Amino acid sequence: MEILSAEFVVSNTKVEKCPQDNLPEYAFIGRSNVGKSSLINMLTKRPKLAMTSSTPGKTLLINHFQVNKEWYLVDLPGYGYASRGKKQVEKIQQIIEDYILEREQMTNLFVLIDCRLEPQKIDLEFMEWLGENGVPFSIIFTKADKLTSGKAKDNVNKYLRKLAEQWEELPPYFISSSEKKTGRNEILDYIDSINRSLKTQDS
Ligand code: GTP
Ligand code: MG
């Protein structure tokens, strides 16, 4: 899929205030600093579209970016950044939960996992919660450029084996690097295939 346009539309903390035009949307979630905002910039080839930072806790709002005038990429705040303080953590948690559970046009949630890490409890529990709530999701293993491709694949396979202990069927998954643009075509093709299937359902 070609990206012909990508524009920032709105940032806010409330689901009710998100765009009302009913276009399908694809949201990005995961621990702070895992690379959600960078991935949005990589996919759209707009390096400054979503704000990124080497310090965790950069994205604090629900950010809508309209692509090709037909669908949205949604950048969400990260979870699991404890040094924010309890109140702020709870507030962010609420924003994330409300968006995920209430936003009907959210057709797929991408859960980002740093491909270098062992499976973390916080991510496993988060995906379990998604499953319990029937939220459609896929996984993107990020920062693949930080490992050799063999090591990245080994880690991903290890992760998938861990997931298989918990899940009967594994979610679709991708390996990405925003630095090297790895995974871009695969992720965009996947989004495109969902967009197409939604269109056939509509007609
Ligand atoms: P929050 O908004 O704080 O939740 O973080 P985020 O998940 O949006 O992360 P962000 O995209 O801001 O990236 C965090 C840091 O990781 C930045 O310093 C990025 O440059 C770096 N980074 C993101 N993706 C990659 C990648 O694929 N490879 C490498 N080497 N660095 C990356
Ligand atoms: Mg961010």
Side-chain angles (χ1 to χ4, degrees), residues 76-139:
L76 295 171
Y79 54 74
Y81 180 46
S83 43
R84 265 178 187 144
K86 194 165 174 256
K87 267 232 161 86
Q88 179 80 338
V89 169
E90 281 170 8
K91 198 175 140 203
I92 298 277
Q93 200 60 29
Q94 200 60 53
I95 295 172
I96 295 172
E97 272 187 36
D98 288 351
Y99 173 82
I100 292 173
L101 297 179
E102 292 171 26
R103 188 70 173 163
E104 284 173 16
Q105 48 276 76
M106 201 266 299
T107 46
N108 177 71
L109 184 66
F110 288 106
V111 178
L112 273 59
I113 308 270
D114 187 322
C115 78
R116 294 170 296 175
L117 303 181
E118 295 284 314
Q120 307 279 308
K121 195 166 167 236
I122 190 166
D123 297 315
L124 297 171
E125 284 179 356
F126 180 76
M127 288 186 271
E128 202 175 319
W129 177 79
L130 293 177
E132 283 161 11
N133 286 286
V135 179
F137 73 95
S138 348
I139 300 178

Short mmCIF file of all heavy atoms in Angstrom, two decimals, residues 76-139:
data_model
loop_
_atom_site.label_atom_id
_atom_site.label_comp_id
_atom_site.label_asym_id
_atom_site.label_seq_id
_atom_site.Cartn_x
_atom_site.Cartn_y
_atom_site.Cartn_z
N LEU A 76 -0.84 5.84 21.12
CA LEU A 76 -1.33 5.86 22.50
C LEU A 76 -0.17 6.05 23.47
O LEU A 76 0.98 5.74 23.13
CB LEU A 76 -2.05 4.54 22.82
CG LEU A 76 -3.32 4.24 22.03
CD1 LEU A 76 -3.78 2.82 22.30
CD2 LEU A 76 -4.43 5.24 22.37
N PRO A 77 -0.47 6.50 24.68
CA PRO A 77 0.60 6.57 25.69
C PRO A 77 1.05 5.16 26.06
O PRO A 77 0.28 4.21 25.96
CB PRO A 77 -0.09 7.22 26.90
CG PRO A 77 -1.41 7.71 26.44
CD PRO A 77 -1.77 6.93 25.22
N GLY A 78 2.29 5.04 26.51
CA GLY A 78 2.80 3.74 26.92
C GLY A 78 2.34 3.37 28.32
O GLY A 78 1.97 4.24 29.09
N TYR A 79 2.38 2.08 28.61
CA TYR A 79 2.09 1.67 29.98
C TYR A 79 3.39 1.25 30.67
O TYR A 79 4.44 1.13 30.03
CB TYR A 79 1.04 0.56 30.03
CG TYR A 79 1.31 -0.69 29.20
CD1 TYR A 79 2.27 -1.62 29.59
CD2 TYR A 79 0.58 -0.94 28.04
CE1 TYR A 79 2.49 -2.77 28.84
CE2 TYR A 79 0.80 -2.09 27.28
CZ TYR A 79 1.76 -2.99 27.69
OH TYR A 79 1.98 -4.12 26.96
N GLY A 80 3.30 1.07 31.99
CA GLY A 80 4.42 0.50 32.74
C GLY A 80 5.56 1.44 33.04
O GLY A 80 6.67 1.00 33.30
N TYR A 81 5.30 2.74 33.01
CA TYR A 81 6.38 3.66 33.33
C TYR A 81 6.16 4.20 34.75
O TYR A 81 5.51 5.21 34.96
CB TYR A 81 6.43 4.79 32.30
CG TYR A 81 7.52 5.80 32.55
CD1 TYR A 81 8.81 5.38 32.86
CD2 TYR A 81 7.26 7.16 32.48
CE1 TYR A 81 9.82 6.30 33.10
CE2 TYR A 81 8.26 8.10 32.71
CZ TYR A 81 9.52 7.65 33.03
OH TYR A 81 10.52 8.57 33.27
N ALA A 82 6.72 3.48 35.72
CA ALA A 82 6.36 3.69 37.13
C ALA A 82 6.83 5.04 37.68
O ALA A 82 6.14 5.63 38.50
CB ALA A 82 6.90 2.56 37.97
N SER A 83 7.97 5.53 37.20
CA SER A 83 8.48 6.75 37.83
C SER A 83 7.64 7.99 37.51
O SER A 83 7.97 9.10 37.92
CB SER A 83 9.94 6.97 37.47
OG SER A 83 10.16 6.71 36.13
N ARG A 84 6.53 7.80 36.83
CA ARG A 84 5.61 8.91 36.61
C ARG A 84 4.88 9.33 37.89
O ARG A 84 4.33 10.40 37.95
CB ARG A 84 4.51 8.44 35.67
CG ARG A 84 4.76 8.76 34.25
CD ARG A 84 3.61 8.20 33.44
NE ARG A 84 3.89 8.33 32.05
CZ ARG A 84 3.55 7.44 31.15
NH1 ARG A 84 2.94 6.33 31.50
NH2 ARG A 84 3.82 7.65 29.89
N GLY A 85 4.79 8.44 38.84
CA GLY A 85 3.97 8.73 40.02
C GLY A 85 2.63 8.03 39.88
O GLY A 85 2.13 7.86 38.76
N LYS A 86 2.05 7.65 41.02
CA LYS A 86 0.88 6.80 41.03
C LYS A 86 -0.33 7.43 40.31
O LYS A 86 -1.01 6.80 39.52
CB LYS A 86 0.53 6.48 42.49
CG LYS A 86 -0.45 5.35 42.65
CD LYS A 86 -0.47 4.84 44.08
CE LYS A 86 -1.56 3.81 44.24
NZ LYS A 86 -2.74 4.30 44.93
N LYS A 87 -0.58 8.70 40.62
CA LYS A 87 -1.74 9.39 40.04
C LYS A 87 -1.67 9.43 38.52
O LYS A 87 -2.65 9.14 37.83
CB LYS A 87 -1.80 10.84 40.58
CG LYS A 87 -2.65 11.00 41.81
CD LYS A 87 -3.68 12.13 41.59
CE LYS A 87 -4.83 12.02 42.57
NZ LYS A 87 -4.52 12.67 43.84
N GLN A 88 -0.51 9.80 38.02
CA GLN A 88 -0.32 9.91 36.57
C GLN A 88 -0.44 8.53 35.91
O GLN A 88 -1.05 8.38 34.86
CB GLN A 88 1.07 10.54 36.30
CG GLN A 88 1.41 10.68 34.84
CD GLN A 88 0.74 11.90 34.19
OE1 GLN A 88 -0.24 12.40 34.69
NE2 GLN A 88 1.29 12.34 33.08
N VAL A 89 0.13 7.50 36.56
CA VAL A 89 0.05 6.14 36.03
C VAL A 89 -1.42 5.72 35.91
O VAL A 89 -1.85 5.18 34.89
CB VAL A 89 0.82 5.13 36.93
CG1 VAL A 89 0.51 3.70 36.54
CG2 VAL A 89 2.32 5.37 36.83
N GLU A 90 -2.20 6.01 36.97
CA GLU A 90 -3.62 5.63 36.95
C GLU A 90 -4.38 6.38 35.88
O GLU A 90 -5.26 5.83 35.21
CB GLU A 90 -4.25 5.90 38.33
CG GLU A 90 -3.91 4.79 39.33
CD GLU A 90 -4.30 5.14 40.76
OE1 GLU A 90 -4.97 6.17 40.98
OE2 GLU A 90 -3.92 4.36 41.65
N LYS A 91 -4.05 7.64 35.72
CA LYS A 91 -4.73 8.47 34.71
C LYS A 91 -4.48 7.91 33.31
O LYS A 91 -5.38 7.74 32.50
CB LYS A 91 -4.23 9.92 34.82
CG LYS A 91 -5.14 10.92 34.16
CD LYS A 91 -4.66 12.34 34.40
CE LYS A 91 -4.82 13.13 33.13
NZ LYS A 91 -3.95 14.29 33.05
N ILE A 92 -3.21 7.62 33.03
CA ILE A 92 -2.82 7.08 31.73
C ILE A 92 -3.50 5.72 31.50
O ILE A 92 -4.02 5.43 30.42
CB ILE A 92 -1.28 6.91 31.65
CG1 ILE A 92 -0.59 8.26 31.78
CG2 ILE A 92 -0.86 6.17 30.39
CD1 ILE A 92 -0.47 9.07 30.54
N GLN A 93 -3.50 4.90 32.55
CA GLN A 93 -4.12 3.57 32.47
C GLN A 93 -5.59 3.70 32.06
O GLN A 93 -6.09 2.95 31.22
CB GLN A 93 -4.01 2.90 33.85
CG GLN A 93 -4.15 1.40 33.82
CD GLN A 93 -3.07 0.74 32.96
OE1 GLN A 93 -1.98 1.27 32.83
NE2 GLN A 93 -3.40 -0.38 32.35
N GLN A 94 -6.26 4.69 32.65
CA GLN A 94 -7.68 4.91 32.37
C GLN A 94 -7.89 5.34 30.91
O GLN A 94 -8.80 4.85 30.24
CB GLN A 94 -8.22 5.99 33.33
CG GLN A 94 -9.74 5.98 33.46
CD GLN A 94 -10.25 4.63 33.99
OE1 GLN A 94 -9.78 4.18 35.01
NE2 GLN A 94 -11.15 3.98 33.27
N ILE A 95 -7.03 6.23 30.43
CA ILE A 95 -7.14 6.70 29.04
C ILE A 95 -7.02 5.50 28.09
O ILE A 95 -7.82 5.31 27.18
CB ILE A 95 -6.03 7.74 28.72
CG1 ILE A 95 -6.22 9.00 29.55
CG2 ILE A 95 -5.99 8.06 27.22
CD1 ILE A 95 -5.07 10.01 29.42
N ILE A 96 -6.01 4.67 28.35
CA ILE A 96 -5.75 3.51 27.50
C ILE A 96 -6.94 2.54 27.54
O ILE A 96 -7.45 2.10 26.50
CB ILE A 96 -4.47 2.77 27.97
CG1 ILE A 96 -3.23 3.66 27.79
CG2 ILE A 96 -4.28 1.47 27.23
CD1 ILE A 96 -1.96 3.07 28.42
N GLU A 97 -7.39 2.23 28.75
CA GLU A 97 -8.49 1.26 28.90
C GLU A 97 -9.76 1.74 28.23
O GLU A 97 -10.42 0.97 27.53
CB GLU A 97 -8.78 1.04 30.38
CG GLU A 97 -7.92 -0.05 30.98
CD GLU A 97 -8.34 -0.38 32.40
OE1 GLU A 97 -9.57 -0.35 32.71
OE2 GLU A 97 -7.44 -0.65 33.19
N ASP A 98 -10.10 3.01 28.46
CA ASP A 98 -11.34 3.55 27.88
C ASP A 98 -11.27 3.48 26.36
O ASP A 98 -12.21 3.07 25.70
CB ASP A 98 -11.56 5.01 28.30
CG ASP A 98 -11.95 5.11 29.76
OD1 ASP A 98 -12.20 4.06 30.38
OD2 ASP A 98 -11.98 6.24 30.29
N TYR A 99 -10.13 3.89 25.83
CA TYR A 99 -9.99 3.88 24.37
C TYR A 99 -10.15 2.45 23.84
O TYR A 99 -10.94 2.19 22.92
CB TYR A 99 -8.62 4.46 23.94
CG TYR A 99 -8.41 4.28 22.46
CD1 TYR A 99 -8.96 5.17 21.54
CD2 TYR A 99 -7.71 3.18 21.98
CE1 TYR A 99 -8.82 4.97 20.18
CE2 TYR A 99 -7.57 2.97 20.62
CZ TYR A 99 -8.12 3.87 19.73
OH TYR A 99 -7.99 3.65 18.38
N ILE A 100 -9.42 1.52 24.43
CA ILE A 100 -9.43 0.15 23.91
C ILE A 100 -10.80 -0.51 24.03
O ILE A 100 -11.26 -1.19 23.11
CB ILE A 100 -8.35 -0.70 24.62
CG1 ILE A 100 -6.96 -0.20 24.21
CG2 ILE A 100 -8.49 -2.18 24.29
CD1 ILE A 100 -5.81 -0.85 24.96
N LEU A 101 -11.46 -0.28 25.14
CA LEU A 101 -12.74 -0.97 25.34
C LEU A 101 -13.92 -0.27 24.66
O LEU A 101 -14.89 -0.91 24.29
CB LEU A 101 -13.03 -1.12 26.84
CG LEU A 101 -12.03 -1.98 27.62
CD1 LEU A 101 -12.41 -2.03 29.09
CD2 LEU A 101 -11.96 -3.40 27.05
N GLU A 102 -13.81 1.04 24.47
CA GLU A 102 -14.99 1.77 23.98
C GLU A 102 -14.93 2.15 22.50
O GLU A 102 -15.95 2.47 21.91
CB GLU A 102 -15.20 3.05 24.80
CG GLU A 102 -15.62 2.73 26.23
CD GLU A 102 -15.62 3.97 27.12
OE1 GLU A 102 -15.79 5.08 26.60
OE2 GLU A 102 -15.42 3.81 28.34
N ARG A 103 -13.76 2.13 21.94
CA ARG A 103 -13.62 2.66 20.58
C ARG A 103 -13.97 1.59 19.56
O ARG A 103 -13.15 0.72 19.23
CB ARG A 103 -12.18 3.15 20.39
CG ARG A 103 -11.95 3.90 19.11
CD ARG A 103 -12.61 5.25 19.08
NE ARG A 103 -12.23 6.00 17.89
CZ ARG A 103 -12.89 7.04 17.45
NH1 ARG A 103 -13.95 7.49 18.09
NH2 ARG A 103 -12.48 7.66 16.36
N GLU A 104 -15.19 1.64 19.06
CA GLU A 104 -15.65 0.55 18.19
C GLU A 104 -14.94 0.49 16.85
O GLU A 104 -14.79 -0.57 16.27
CB GLU A 104 -17.16 0.68 17.97
CG GLU A 104 -17.90 0.22 19.20
CD GLU A 104 -19.38 0.47 19.13
OE1 GLU A 104 -19.88 0.72 18.02
OE2 GLU A 104 -20.00 0.41 20.20
N GLN A 105 -14.50 1.64 16.35
CA GLN A 105 -13.83 1.63 15.03
C GLN A 105 -12.36 1.19 15.12
O GLN A 105 -11.67 1.15 14.11
CB GLN A 105 -13.97 2.96 14.29
CG GLN A 105 -13.68 4.21 15.04
CD GLN A 105 -14.87 4.71 15.84
OE1 GLN A 105 -15.18 4.16 16.87
NE2 GLN A 105 -15.53 5.75 15.36
N MET A 106 -11.90 0.87 16.33
CA MET A 106 -10.53 0.37 16.47
C MET A 106 -10.54 -1.09 15.99
O MET A 106 -10.99 -1.99 16.69
CB MET A 106 -10.09 0.47 17.93
CG MET A 106 -8.58 0.47 18.12
SD MET A 106 -7.91 -1.12 18.43
CE MET A 106 -8.74 -1.55 19.93
N THR A 107 -10.06 -1.30 14.76
CA THR A 107 -10.20 -2.61 14.14
C THR A 107 -9.06 -3.56 14.50
O THR A 107 -9.20 -4.76 14.40
CB THR A 107 -10.27 -2.49 12.61
OG1 THR A 107 -9.24 -1.60 12.23
CG2 THR A 107 -11.59 -1.94 12.16
N ASN A 108 -7.93 -2.98 14.89
CA ASN A 108 -6.82 -3.82 15.32
C ASN A 108 -5.88 -3.02 16.20
O ASN A 108 -5.55 -1.87 15.90
CB ASN A 108 -6.04 -4.35 14.11
CG ASN A 108 -4.84 -5.16 14.54
OD1 ASN A 108 -4.97 -6.26 15.05
ND2 ASN A 108 -3.65 -4.59 14.39
N LEU A 109 -5.48 -3.66 17.28
CA LEU A 109 -4.51 -3.03 18.17
C LEU A 109 -3.17 -3.73 17.96
O LEU A 109 -3.09 -4.97 18.01
CB LEU A 109 -4.98 -3.24 19.62
CG LEU A 109 -4.16 -2.59 20.73
CD1 LEU A 109 -4.24 -1.07 20.65
CD2 LEU A 109 -4.67 -3.05 22.10
N PHE A 110 -2.13 -2.94 17.69
CA PHE A 110 -0.79 -3.52 17.60
C PHE A 110 -0.14 -3.40 18.98
O PHE A 110 0.02 -2.29 19.49
CB PHE A 110 0.06 -2.76 16.58
CG PHE A 110 -0.34 -3.01 15.15
CD1 PHE A 110 -1.01 -2.04 14.42
CD2 PHE A 110 -0.03 -4.22 14.52
CE1 PHE A 110 -1.36 -2.26 13.09
CE2 PHE A 110 -0.37 -4.45 13.20
CZ PHE A 110 -1.05 -3.46 12.48
N VAL A 111 0.22 -4.55 19.55
CA VAL A 111 0.93 -4.54 20.83
C VAL A 111 2.41 -4.64 20.52
O VAL A 111 2.86 -5.60 19.89
CB VAL A 111 0.49 -5.73 21.71
CG1 VAL A 111 1.27 -5.74 23.02
CG2 VAL A 111 -1.01 -5.68 21.98
N LEU A 112 3.16 -3.63 20.93
CA LEU A 112 4.59 -3.59 20.62
C LEU A 112 5.41 -4.18 21.78
O LEU A 112 5.17 -3.86 22.95
CB LEU A 112 5.03 -2.15 20.35
CG LEU A 112 4.87 -1.67 18.90
CD1 LEU A 112 3.42 -1.77 18.45
CD2 LEU A 112 5.38 -0.26 18.73
N ILE A 113 6.36 -5.01 21.39
CA ILE A 113 7.23 -5.67 22.36
C ILE A 113 8.66 -5.48 21.89
O ILE A 113 8.95 -5.73 20.71
CB ILE A 113 6.94 -7.20 22.36
CG1 ILE A 113 5.45 -7.52 22.54
CG2 ILE A 113 7.84 -7.94 23.34
CD1 ILE A 113 4.98 -7.69 23.93
N ASP A 114 9.54 -5.07 22.78
CA ASP A 114 10.96 -4.92 22.44
C ASP A 114 11.54 -6.31 22.20
O ASP A 114 11.54 -7.15 23.11
CB ASP A 114 11.67 -4.22 23.61
CG ASP A 114 13.11 -3.85 23.28
OD1 ASP A 114 13.79 -4.65 22.60
OD2 ASP A 114 13.57 -2.79 23.73
N CYS A 115 12.05 -6.55 20.98
CA CYS A 115 12.47 -7.92 20.63
C CYS A 115 13.68 -8.39 21.43
O CYS A 115 14.01 -9.57 21.42
CB CYS A 115 12.74 -8.03 19.13
SG CYS A 115 14.33 -7.35 18.64
N ARG A 116 14.32 -7.48 22.16
CA ARG A 116 15.51 -7.87 22.92
C ARG A 116 15.17 -8.49 24.27
O ARG A 116 16.02 -9.13 24.88
CB ARG A 116 16.39 -6.64 23.18
CG ARG A 116 16.99 -6.07 21.93
CD ARG A 116 17.63 -4.74 22.22
NE ARG A 116 16.66 -3.74 22.66
CZ ARG A 116 16.97 -2.52 23.06
NH1 ARG A 116 18.23 -2.15 23.09
NH2 ARG A 116 16.03 -1.68 23.43
N LEU A 117 13.93 -8.25 24.73
CA LEU A 117 13.61 -8.62 26.11
C LEU A 117 13.00 -10.01 26.25
O LEU A 117 12.32 -10.49 25.36
CB LEU A 117 12.64 -7.60 26.71
CG LEU A 117 13.09 -6.14 26.72
CD1 LEU A 117 12.03 -5.26 27.37
CD2 LEU A 117 14.42 -6.00 27.45
N GLU A 118 13.26 -10.62 27.38
CA GLU A 118 12.55 -11.83 27.77
C GLU A 118 11.08 -11.45 27.93
O GLU A 118 10.78 -10.30 28.24
CB GLU A 118 13.06 -12.29 29.15
CG GLU A 118 14.50 -12.72 29.19
CD GLU A 118 14.70 -14.09 28.59
OE1 GLU A 118 13.92 -15.00 28.90
OE2 GLU A 118 15.65 -14.23 27.78
N PRO A 119 10.15 -12.41 27.79
CA PRO A 119 8.74 -12.08 28.03
C PRO A 119 8.54 -11.42 29.39
O PRO A 119 9.05 -11.91 30.40
CB PRO A 119 8.06 -13.45 27.97
CG PRO A 119 8.94 -14.27 27.08
CD PRO A 119 10.33 -13.80 27.36
N GLN A 120 7.87 -10.28 29.39
CA GLN A 120 7.65 -9.53 30.63
C GLN A 120 6.23 -9.74 31.11
O GLN A 120 5.29 -9.72 30.29
CB GLN A 120 7.84 -8.02 30.36
CG GLN A 120 9.15 -7.65 29.70
CD GLN A 120 10.28 -7.57 30.69
OE1 GLN A 120 10.18 -6.89 31.70
NE2 GLN A 120 11.36 -8.29 30.40
N LYS A 121 6.09 -9.84 32.42
CA LYS A 121 4.79 -10.08 33.02
C LYS A 121 3.77 -9.01 32.59
O LYS A 121 2.63 -9.33 32.25
CB LYS A 121 4.97 -10.04 34.54
CG LYS A 121 3.81 -10.60 35.30
CD LYS A 121 4.20 -10.86 36.77
CE LYS A 121 2.97 -11.13 37.58
NZ LYS A 121 2.80 -10.26 38.73
N ILE A 122 4.20 -7.77 32.59
CA ILE A 122 3.26 -6.67 32.30
C ILE A 122 2.64 -6.82 30.90
O ILE A 122 1.45 -6.60 30.71
CB ILE A 122 3.95 -5.29 32.50
CG1 ILE A 122 2.91 -4.17 32.43
CG2 ILE A 122 5.07 -5.07 31.51
CD1 ILE A 122 3.42 -2.84 32.93
N ASP A 123 3.46 -7.25 29.93
CA ASP A 123 2.94 -7.42 28.56
C ASP A 123 2.06 -8.66 28.45
O ASP A 123 1.02 -8.64 27.80
CB ASP A 123 4.10 -7.53 27.57
CG ASP A 123 4.94 -6.27 27.52
OD1 ASP A 123 4.36 -5.17 27.47
OD2 ASP A 123 6.18 -6.38 27.53
N LEU A 124 2.49 -9.74 29.10
CA LEU A 124 1.70 -10.98 29.04
C LEU A 124 0.33 -10.76 29.68
O LEU A 124 -0.70 -11.19 29.16
CB LEU A 124 2.45 -12.12 29.74
CG LEU A 124 3.78 -12.52 29.09
CD1 LEU A 124 4.54 -13.50 29.98
CD2 LEU A 124 3.57 -13.11 27.70
N GLU A 125 0.32 -10.05 30.81
CA GLU A 125 -0.95 -9.78 31.49
C GLU A 125 -1.82 -8.85 30.67
O GLU A 125 -3.04 -9.00 30.61
CB GLU A 125 -0.70 -9.19 32.88
CG GLU A 125 -0.24 -10.25 33.85
CD GLU A 125 0.05 -9.73 35.25
OE1 GLU A 125 -0.02 -8.50 35.49
OE2 GLU A 125 0.38 -10.56 36.11
N PHE A 126 -1.17 -7.90 30.03
CA PHE A 126 -1.93 -6.96 29.20
C PHE A 126 -2.61 -7.72 28.05
O PHE A 126 -3.81 -7.53 27.78
CB PHE A 126 -1.01 -5.87 28.65
CG PHE A 126 -1.73 -4.87 27.79
CD1 PHE A 126 -2.53 -3.90 28.36
CD2 PHE A 126 -1.62 -4.94 26.41
CE1 PHE A 126 -3.23 -3.01 27.56
CE2 PHE A 126 -2.31 -4.04 25.61
CZ PHE A 126 -3.11 -3.06 26.18
N MET A 127 -1.88 -8.62 27.40
CA MET A 127 -2.48 -9.38 26.29
C MET A 127 -3.58 -10.32 26.78
O MET A 127 -4.57 -10.54 26.09
CB MET A 127 -1.39 -10.12 25.52
CG MET A 127 -0.53 -9.16 24.70
SD MET A 127 0.65 -9.99 23.63
CE MET A 127 2.05 -10.12 24.71
N GLU A 128 -3.39 -10.83 27.97
CA GLU A 128 -4.43 -11.69 28.55
C GLU A 128 -5.71 -10.88 28.75
O GLU A 128 -6.81 -11.33 28.45
CB GLU A 128 -3.93 -12.22 29.89
CG GLU A 128 -4.63 -13.48 30.35
CD GLU A 128 -4.00 -14.02 31.62
OE1 GLU A 128 -2.76 -13.99 31.74
OE2 GLU A 128 -4.77 -14.43 32.50
N TRP A 129 -5.55 -9.67 29.23
CA TRP A 129 -6.68 -8.76 29.43
C TRP A 129 -7.37 -8.46 28.08
O TRP A 129 -8.60 -8.45 27.99
CB TRP A 129 -6.18 -7.47 30.11
CG TRP A 129 -7.21 -6.42 30.30
CD1 TRP A 129 -8.16 -6.38 31.28
CD2 TRP A 129 -7.41 -5.24 29.49
NE1 TRP A 129 -8.94 -5.25 31.13
CE2 TRP A 129 -8.49 -4.53 30.04
CE3 TRP A 129 -6.76 -4.71 28.37
CZ2 TRP A 129 -8.96 -3.33 29.51
CZ3 TRP A 129 -7.23 -3.51 27.84
CH2 TRP A 129 -8.32 -2.84 28.40
N LEU A 130 -6.57 -8.28 27.04
CA LEU A 130 -7.16 -8.05 25.71
C LEU A 130 -8.00 -9.25 25.29
O LEU A 130 -9.12 -9.11 24.80
CB LEU A 130 -6.06 -7.81 24.66
CG LEU A 130 -5.22 -6.55 24.78
CD1 LEU A 130 -4.15 -6.53 23.69
CD2 LEU A 130 -6.09 -5.29 24.69
N GLY A 131 -7.44 -10.43 25.52
CA GLY A 131 -8.15 -11.66 25.18
C GLY A 131 -9.47 -11.76 25.93
O GLY A 131 -10.52 -12.06 25.34
N GLU A 132 -9.43 -11.50 27.22
CA GLU A 132 -10.64 -11.58 28.04
C GLU A 132 -11.71 -10.62 27.54
O GLU A 132 -12.90 -10.88 27.67
CB GLU A 132 -10.32 -11.22 29.51
CG GLU A 132 -9.62 -12.33 30.26
CD GLU A 132 -8.91 -11.83 31.52
OE1 GLU A 132 -9.13 -10.67 31.92
OE2 GLU A 132 -8.12 -12.62 32.06
N ASN A 133 -11.27 -9.50 26.99
CA ASN A 133 -12.22 -8.50 26.53
C ASN A 133 -12.52 -8.58 25.02
O ASN A 133 -13.17 -7.71 24.46
CB ASN A 133 -11.73 -7.10 26.90
CG ASN A 133 -11.89 -6.85 28.39
OD1 ASN A 133 -12.98 -6.64 28.89
ND2 ASN A 133 -10.79 -6.94 29.12
N GLY A 134 -12.00 -9.62 24.39
CA GLY A 134 -12.27 -9.83 22.97
C GLY A 134 -11.73 -8.73 22.06
O GLY A 134 -12.31 -8.43 21.02
N VAL A 135 -10.61 -8.14 22.45
CA VAL A 135 -10.02 -7.07 21.63
C VAL A 135 -9.11 -7.69 20.57
O VAL A 135 -8.21 -8.46 20.91
CB VAL A 135 -9.18 -6.10 22.51
CG1 VAL A 135 -8.54 -5.01 21.67
CG2 VAL A 135 -10.04 -5.52 23.63
N PRO A 136 -9.34 -7.39 19.27
CA PRO A 136 -8.47 -7.96 18.23
C PRO A 136 -7.08 -7.31 18.26
O PRO A 136 -6.97 -6.09 18.22
CB PRO A 136 -9.18 -7.58 16.92
CG PRO A 136 -10.09 -6.45 17.27
CD PRO A 136 -10.36 -6.49 18.74
N PHE A 137 -6.05 -8.15 18.38
CA PHE A 137 -4.71 -7.55 18.42
C PHE A 137 -3.68 -8.40 17.67
O PHE A 137 -3.90 -9.58 17.39
CB PHE A 137 -4.25 -7.33 19.87
CG PHE A 137 -3.89 -8.58 20.62
CD1 PHE A 137 -2.56 -9.01 20.70
CD2 PHE A 137 -4.86 -9.33 21.26
CE1 PHE A 137 -2.21 -10.16 21.40
CE2 PHE A 137 -4.53 -10.48 21.96
CZ PHE A 137 -3.21 -10.91 22.03
N SER A 138 -2.57 -7.76 17.33
CA SER A 138 -1.42 -8.43 16.74
C SER A 138 -0.20 -7.91 17.48
O SER A 138 -0.28 -6.91 18.18
CB SER A 138 -1.26 -8.09 15.26
OG SER A 138 -2.38 -7.46 14.76
N ILE A 139 0.92 -8.59 17.27
CA ILE A 139 2.14 -8.19 17.99
C ILE A 139 3.17 -7.66 17.00
O ILE A 139 3.32 -8.21 15.91
CB ILE A 139 2.74 -9.39 18.75
CG1 ILE A 139 1.72 -9.93 19.76
CG2 ILE A 139 4.03 -9.01 19.46
CD1 ILE A 139 2.21 -11.15 20.53
#
